[in-house]
Amino acid sequence: PVPMINLKPFFNFLLLRYKDTTRSLSSECLGNNRPVISLGLTDFALDIRMPGVTPKQSDTYLCMSLRLPVDEEAYVVDFRPQASMDTVHHMLLFGCNIPSSTENYWDCDEGICTDKSNILYAWARNAPPTRLPKGVGFKVGGETGSKYFVLQVHYGDVSAFRGMQPLIAGMYLMMSVNTVIPPGEKVVDADIACHYQKYPMHLFAYRVHTHRLGKVVSGYRVRNGQWTLIGRQSPQLPQAFYPVEHPVDISFGDTLAARCVFTGEGRTTETHIGGTASDEMCNFYIMYYMEAKHAVSYMTCTQNINPDMFRSIPQEANIPIPVKSDMIMMTHGHHHEDESSSLKQPKREEEEVLDQDFHIEEAVDWPGVNLKLGQVSGLALDPKNNLVIFHRGDHVWDGNSFDSRFVYQQRGLGPIEQNTILVIDPSNADVLDSTGKNLFYLPHGLSIDKDGNYWVTDVALHQVFKLGVHDKEPLLILGRSLQPGSDKNHFCQPTDVAVDPVTGNIYVSDGYCNSRIVVFSPNGMFIMQWGEETSVGKAKPGQFRIPHSLTLVPEFGQLCVADRENGRIQCFRSETGEFTREIKHKLFGRELFAVSYIPGGLLFAVNGKPYPGDTEPVQGFVMNFSTGEIIDTFIPIRKVQYFSVGGGFSTWISFWPNSPIFSKADTVIEARLKNKPVSTESQKKWEKHHIVEQASPGISFVLITTLLIIPIVVLLAIAVFIRWRKTRVYGADADHKLESSSGGILGRLQGKGSGGLNLGNFFASHKSYSRKGFDRLSTEGSDQEKDEDGTDSEEEYSAPPPPQVSSSS
């Protein structure tokens, strides 16, 4: 437990009695209301404590009194003030015979004593105790000494009395990210060290973590060359947080150091740091507390600033701690109970070991989302593992949505009248809840924080919203409504949000017309930004061409971004925005739409629809975060798919036209995934569903061209026939009547000229319209970014909302 500052200031001092030492203290004085502790025949301690008070405002002066528990002459020989300047400006201790009040406490403005008062002691600003010289004491009691003590407290800042926790706990994670364990190597050390350059923190618990090759993990504070042990333990024992046996404080300028000792014996290949059971980890967790006004909730150390210093590390850090075999079995979740027993030894997340080969494939028996959805733009899982869908209802992002300055052009439609956020029961696909009506114009990104709040983006409004599950109004709005921009207060078509579960900081990818990541505090205050538009040639680190999706990697203190049009993942330090790495594979193709991380080391990604002539299909990827290696792939069949793998892991993915996005459940931490082909039946469904897209480039071109020419020819024939009929009936007036009534059907159906007729916009102006037959169908792959020739093209158009999908599809 974290130590608490006592908000009731008091003095604890010793009284030394010289007379009548054979008499004992009265029973009344030893009662609960007057704590007196006898320390011998002549010594006793007395607490003078302000009773339970709650000052209403700062600069309040309160007094309380306590009668001396003996009548005989005595002497105060020691004072021990107990208070904090965070709440108390000063304390004064008086001696007198008649206090100004008989109440438990009173406002000092009423006076302190009715007779003469003597100041015995004063304290302020966290001053240390004053030691009286040996043989010196303040006289009290007897015929001439004071019979009462009066404590005056001047309360300064009273915020602590309003529910504020005066000390805040936090977590400091030390971990190695580059260690390589050669096969057969008997001893391999992984060392971590960082300078500490913040306010003092006090350590009270620690935890060690490796996988099977770890022998011992030790953590130290290094100050002036002296190594002080924080904690040392075998990672093969149960990995709980153990108390720091001798509490350690860390001050500015100290160094925190840790060492993990591994063995490569029994391995035939190199072992790297990673998230699967066959990889390794080297983590030393430290629990600490700091004063609230200086508190930092989470810190990490992944460096080794001074390798030479480990030459003087205490020898104990190199000595493995022996562990019995049955303890190792318990650590990894194994047990010898009857398999039919309902009381199983649970496996902890970070020690989950899957002894089978797993691959991800679609769960074909899942009923699927049988709903009339608009364009699905976001998926997420709430804290109850329910699937949450964010969709656009009857609004569509098409070529008429924005002008060249990215200003939304269809405000006349009003906000989406349907509920745009649906909560789905994952077991049967039933709708459990729905919200988001009349709030959004063009939804895009969706994420859910640890408290269950929805964080969404709207590319038409150029805003980010925080929504409570049961709140009708947004809890927080970032950006200016319908105003694109690139400063601290504006976004331009923001795409996604990620919220740090520890700090609460908000990360926004911004977006289609900006190329940056923007960071805000939990209450929406701007902190920093990074990123720039991609230059000509190969994209450089920190450059974006549509930062489309975000995911946080808390174990490594990083934020990863799906850099969509550059077809890559970029990762940055979440605290500073410093670029750390790029992950890019040929299998991604030209575009990468979504990225997500599972604690423990698994990174997921989904690419985009291939360009004409490209061979990479739309698919999902599972990667080892530490190495970036692809360890599994999976292919979609339905619009909103449910994929599963053993051990409780599941992922939902939406592959709406040109807009693949996905979410995941993070119930499995270390899963060993092997690439395995999709079942034959599933593959046949995929091939049948996408036969046109998978045809050869030549056939695709001929087929598409034919399909486009046929309706044009039919339309021309109808127009010629109508013109011939009008000529026969009306004669010379036919041309004029036809032109005045239709505005030139052919030309206006093409949308050319100032008087062009756009059927989509015409019907969109009526709330009861049906879009069927009038939506523009996209074959492009770029959400509103500018083409190199300067024209605008939009990716996220879509066909009309599809008919209901049967559970067998």
Side-chain angles (χ1 to χ4, degrees), residues 270-322:
E270 287 186 343
T271 304
H272 297 261
I273 298 296
T276 71
S278 58
D279 296 321
E280 265 303 336
M281 284 188 175
C282 169
N283 294 350
F284 187 75
Y285 296 81
I286 306 172
M287 277 189 181
Y288 62 86
Y289 66 89
M290 304 174 70
E291 292 186 12
K293 61 182 178 182
H294 303 310
V296 179
S297 297
Y298 182 71
M299 291 179 274
T300 60
C301 173
T302 60
Q303 309 172 55
N304 184 3
I305 58 168
N306 187 4
D308 291 339
M309 67 182 289
F310 285 89
R311 296 176 182 175
S312 58
I313 191 171
Q315 186 59 28
E316 63 186 357
N318 304 309
I319 302 174
I321 296 176

Side-chain angles (χ1 to χ4, degrees), residues 551 555 596-604 649 664-669:
T551 189
E555 292 106 308
S596 187
Y597 176 79
I598 289 181
L602 295 182
L603 190 67
F604 288 72
F649 169 81
K664 70 347 183 187
D666 50 4
T667 54
V668 166
I669 301 303

Side-chain angles (χ1 to χ4, degrees), residues 218-222 225-229 232 259 309-319:
S218 308
Y220 296 88
R221 179 197 70 188
V222 183
Q226 299 297 314
W227 293 68
T228 301
L229 180 67
R232 173 177 173 267
R259 166 170 284 183
M309 67 182 289
F310 285 89
R311 296 176 182 175
S312 58
I313 191 171
Q315 186 59 28
E316 63 186 357
N318 304 309
I319 302 174

Side-chain angles (χ1 to χ4, degrees), residues 168-171 198 288 295-300 449-451 455 466 498-507 519-525 527-528 552 554 557 559 574-575:
I168 303 300
M171 187 72 68
K198 297 183 183 298
Y288 62 86
V296 179
S297 297
Y298 182 71
M299 291 179 274
T300 60
D449 64 24
K450 63 182 179 63
D451 298 319
W455 293 83
K466 176 185 179 182
V499 180
D500 192 304
V502 177
T503 66
N505 286 346
I506 307 160
Y507 298 83
V519 188
F520 299 88
S521 68
N523 60 1
M525 298 298 293
I527 296 178
M528 64 175 173
L552 283 160
L559 176 82
S574 54
E575 288 188 355

Side-chain angles (χ1 to χ4, degrees), residues 71 73 75 96-97 118 139-147:
D71 293 329
E73 184 177 297
Y75 298 88
C96 65
N97 289 315
N118 302 317
K139 180 181 176 182
V140 294
E143 295 182 358
T144 59
S146 301
K147 293 180 173 56

Side-chain angles (χ1 to χ4, degrees), residues 209-357:
H209 174 68
T210 72
H211 296 170
R212 292 184 180 274
L213 303 184
K215 296 300 181 182
V216 63
V217 181
S218 308
Y220 296 88
R221 179 197 70 188
V222 183
R223 178 183 292 173
N224 299 324
Q226 299 297 314
W227 293 68
T228 301
L229 180 67
I230 298 170
R232 173 177 173 267
Q233 190 56 275
S234 167
Q236 304 306 322
L237 291 172
Q239 296 182 5
F241 276 93
Y242 294 91
V244 175
E245 291 187 7
H246 304 287
V248 178
D249 67 283
I250 308 296
S251 301
F252 187 98
D254 289 344
T255 298
L256 286 164
R259 166 170 284 183
C260 299
V261 178
F262 297 98
T263 180
E265 293 179 322
R267 292 289 174 95
T268 58
T269 59
E270 287 186 343
T271 304
H272 297 261
I273 298 296
T276 71
S278 58
D279 296 321
E280 265 303 336
M281 284 188 175
C282 169
N283 294 350
F284 187 75
Y285 296 81
I286 306 172
M287 277 189 181
Y288 62 86
Y289 66 89
M290 304 174 70
E291 292 186 12
K293 61 182 178 182
H294 303 310
V296 179
S297 297
Y298 182 71
M299 291 179 274
T300 60
C301 173
T302 60
Q303 309 172 55
N304 184 3
I305 58 168
N306 187 4
D308 291 339
M309 67 182 289
F310 285 89
R311 296 176 182 175
S312 58
I313 191 171
Q315 186 59 28
E316 63 186 357
N318 304 309
I319 302 174
I321 296 176
V323 179
K324 296 181 180 180
S325 59
D326 58 341
M327 293 297 292
I328 296 178
M329 296 286 282
M330 184 177 70
T331 299
H332 291 283
H334 297 286
H335 54 86
H336 298 287
E337 297 176 6
D338 181 1
E339 287 296 319
S340 63
S341 171
S342 61
L343 297 175
K344 305 294 185 183
Q345 172 70 31
K347 293 185 180 181
R348 292 194 324 279
E349 286 183 338
E350 288 176 311
E351 288 300 330
E352 184 75 29
V353 178
L354 303 177
D355 296 322
Q356 306 151 353
D357 291 336

Side-chain angles (χ1 to χ4, degrees), residues 514-531:
N514 287 329
S515 299
R516 62 177 181 167
I517 307 300
V518 193
V519 188
F520 299 88
S521 68
N523 60 1
M525 298 298 293
F526 175 87
I527 296 178
M528 64 175 173
Q529 68 177 35
W530 71 83

